[in-house]
Amino acid sequence: MRPLIIDSPNLQSLKQKYLSTLLTFVFWVIWLYLWMPLITLIGWWTGIDLFYVHMIKLNGNQLLYQDLFFFLKGISLLGSTLAIWALYNYFRFRKVDRRTALPPVKNEQLSAFFGIEKDNLHNLQDTKYISVYFDQDGQITETRNNDALAK
Amino acid sequence: MDLIDLIYSNVKPGTLSPVVYEITDILQTTLSYISKALANGYDSFLVGGTYLSKNTIHFLLDFAFYYPLFMAYLWMIGALIYYFHWERKSSYQTDQVPELSSYPPVSIIIPCHNEGKDITETIEYLLHQKYPDFEIIAVNDGSTDDSLEHLIRLSHQHKQVRVINLEHNQGKAVALNTGALFSKHEFLICIDGDALLAPEATAWMMRHFLNGPRVAAVTGNPRIRTRSTLLGKIQVGEFSAIIGLIKRAQRIYGRLFTVSGVVAGFRKSALQRVGYWSNDMLTEDIDISWKLQLDHWDIRYEPNALCWILMPETYRGLWRQRLRWAQGGSEVLLRYFRKLGLWKSRRMWPVYLEYFISVFWSYTMMLTFVLWIVGYFFVDLPEELFIPSLLPSWGGVLLGMTCLLQFAISLAIDSRYEKGIARVYYWMIWYPLAYWIIAVFTTFVGLIKALLKKRNTRAIWTSPDRGIR
């Protein structure tokens, strides 16, 4: 048997290898690019006077706080809605199960639904090897018990 | 300063506008312009139109940016609630068999279409289920390879194995229906012909059926086997960091978008009530999940029921699979649209809304992208249609941080089920970005295909790409 986890990069074609490397590189660059403002900020920080001008004098920090505050508000609103909903469901349904268990499906129900004779169905449910034929609409037209054939 | 400049300017720390105020503002202004237009005639209506289009574009841009970000947090929060409520205190480990109040017999159904390469491994692995009484029904769906010969041989070797041969390819839904019809037992576990079900999985799933009479289906935890390529590694992370989080969060909403077709257990009496699997839907798993839940049944997620699966490792294979999922989702969206208007279907609204908004979002992204390309490379668009840049400023940092946080949380939750999973994260810290990009394109095409599909067309399957082995 093959191992549960199949990790054999050597089976890749050369094209696959190059393409994977390229894609990983491109997306890492994009991902790192997302951090540009932070890198810029660190740049400003190292030139303290510029940082002071932009962030304190020109109120740049206010804009940053506004952004963060808006995000936190949004996330808290979403998260607390979900948490309240979960709590409501927990307390409402903790001890209630209004649906009583249905009895298992009977062969009468199955044979009526699938249009197959009940005795035949009962017999086929104990068969090891069955052949089934269908019409254009996926309805069963014929069934065969192949157990005798298989032996 | 203009809102768009603030959000998308690349150097200064920008501000991110409160979307809610914007919506109200747009609505109020629209109403006032309509009333003015009615009073003053055509001229003022034109002015109103320009204002409206400009603000609508701004709103759509905000929505395009915020939606995936907020969804990521919603999934994370939902998954954490799930974890603290159900997973953290569990006294069993995944590889332990939970003790059940009783052990009703189970029928395990495996629909197979051209699975000759894998079916012996699948069935021999299944025989190790740590469960006292089960039968295995392999449904050969008109395979053109040697699947049937393998199945007949296996049925001779093992008394639990039975074979149903569909003489012509009928599709997975009909194969499952036929398996259910000829199965002996009330509880069914359905797995794909190339999947390996962990020996403890049946007991883990049965726990839910025995505890809850409302439970119609239990979906397991698919784990990727094929990890040789970048795509393989990415999917390992994707299933734990995105799909696993979504399933947990949806359990907190109360309803699941879908069971995993590759591993799910069903109560036959529930299937009988809803008329079993539909043979005209591209993704029969999404459809059956909706049918059952619209009939007020519960669907549970059982992360301990592991199932090891093969996934595509070529770009074409992945695209086809994802397109199929997206088209299947859209088919369900269209088919059950009317039923959702009913008050009694209200518990499905959060899941429906989530999917509906994500389809709308994909189209918004596509529009933004097209406008940006046209405006940047080809013609000077009017100011209200011009997209200055696709790259966000401080929002970008938040996106990057969100990726990190999402993986950290999924890693904390998921390492319980698989040791050493952290290794794959090196490959995919950027993946949530790619995930959303793939979603844009597949959803865009998927909805169109679903709309153009002829009604009642039978869904006959073709074998997907199963990775390199």
Side-chain angles (χ1 to χ4, degrees), chain B residues 380-396:
Chain B
D380 282 335
L381 285 174
E383 195 198 344
E384 55 269 20
L385 292 179
F386 182 68
I387 312 283
S389 163
L390 285 183
L391 293 167
S393 62
W394 280 104

Side-chain angles (χ1 to χ4, degrees), chain B residues 147-161:
Chain B
S147 299
L148 185 62
E149 286 79 44
H150 286 290
L151 292 176
I152 292 173
R153 176 179 50 78
L154 287 160
S155 75
H156 286 160
Q157 288 169 352
H158 308 287
K159 69 175 175 29
Q160 295 104 316
V161 180

Side-chain angles (χ1 to χ4, degrees), chain B residues 258-411:
Chain B
T258 181
V259 296
S260 300
V262 67
V263 51
F266 295 94
R267 188 190 292 272
K268 217 190 319 184
S269 46
L271 292 173
Q272 172 80 24
R273 266 180 67 101
V274 301
Y276 297 87
W277 287 269
S278 312
N279 63 14
D280 59 342
M281 299 295 268
L282 195 61
T283 45
E284 82 302 324
D285 46 358
I286 305 181
D287 180 70
I288 195 72
S289 310
W290 280 68
K291 285 208 292 198
L292 289 168
Q293 293 181 116
L294 283 169
D295 192 38
H296 310 291
W297 291 93
D298 250 3
I299 294 184
R300 301 257 177 95
Y301 169 56
E302 179 48 71
N304 285 296
L306 305 185
C307 186
W308 298 90
I309 63 172
L310 304 169
M311 289 293 268
E313 284 193 280
T314 60
Y315 294 93
R316 180 184 288 188
L318 187 73
W319 165 256
R320 279 189 187 161
Q321 183 198 47
R322 296 307 155 100
L323 185 59
R324 196 179 137 261
W325 291 358
Q327 187 184 339
S330 294
E331 284 180 13
V332 167
L333 197 76
L334 297 170
R335 175 165 290 186
Y336 299 109
F337 180 69
R338 285 196 186 154
K339 276 196 176 173
L340 281 150
L342 304 172
W343 175 244
K344 67 176 184 179
S345 306
R346 64 191 177 281
R347 291 233 155 210
M348 287 301 279
W349 290 349
V351 181
Y352 191 86
L353 201 65
E354 184 188 329
Y355 197 75
F356 182 79
I357 296 176
S358 75
V359 172
F360 178 70
W361 175 81
S362 298
Y363 277 80
T364 310
M365 282 305 281
M366 206 53 129
L367 176 76
T368 313
F369 191 60
V370 169
L371 282 179
W372 178 73
I373 289 189
V374 171
Y376 199 82
F377 294 104
F378 298 105
V379 283
D380 282 335
L381 285 174
E383 195 198 344
E384 55 269 20
L385 292 179
F386 182 68
I387 312 283
S389 163
L390 285 183
L391 293 167
S393 62
W394 280 104
V397 179
L398 272 151
L399 263 177
M401 272 168 52
T402 307
C403 292
L404 279 178
L405 200 61
Q406 192 170 337
F407 282 118
I409 288 177
S410 69
L411 188 62

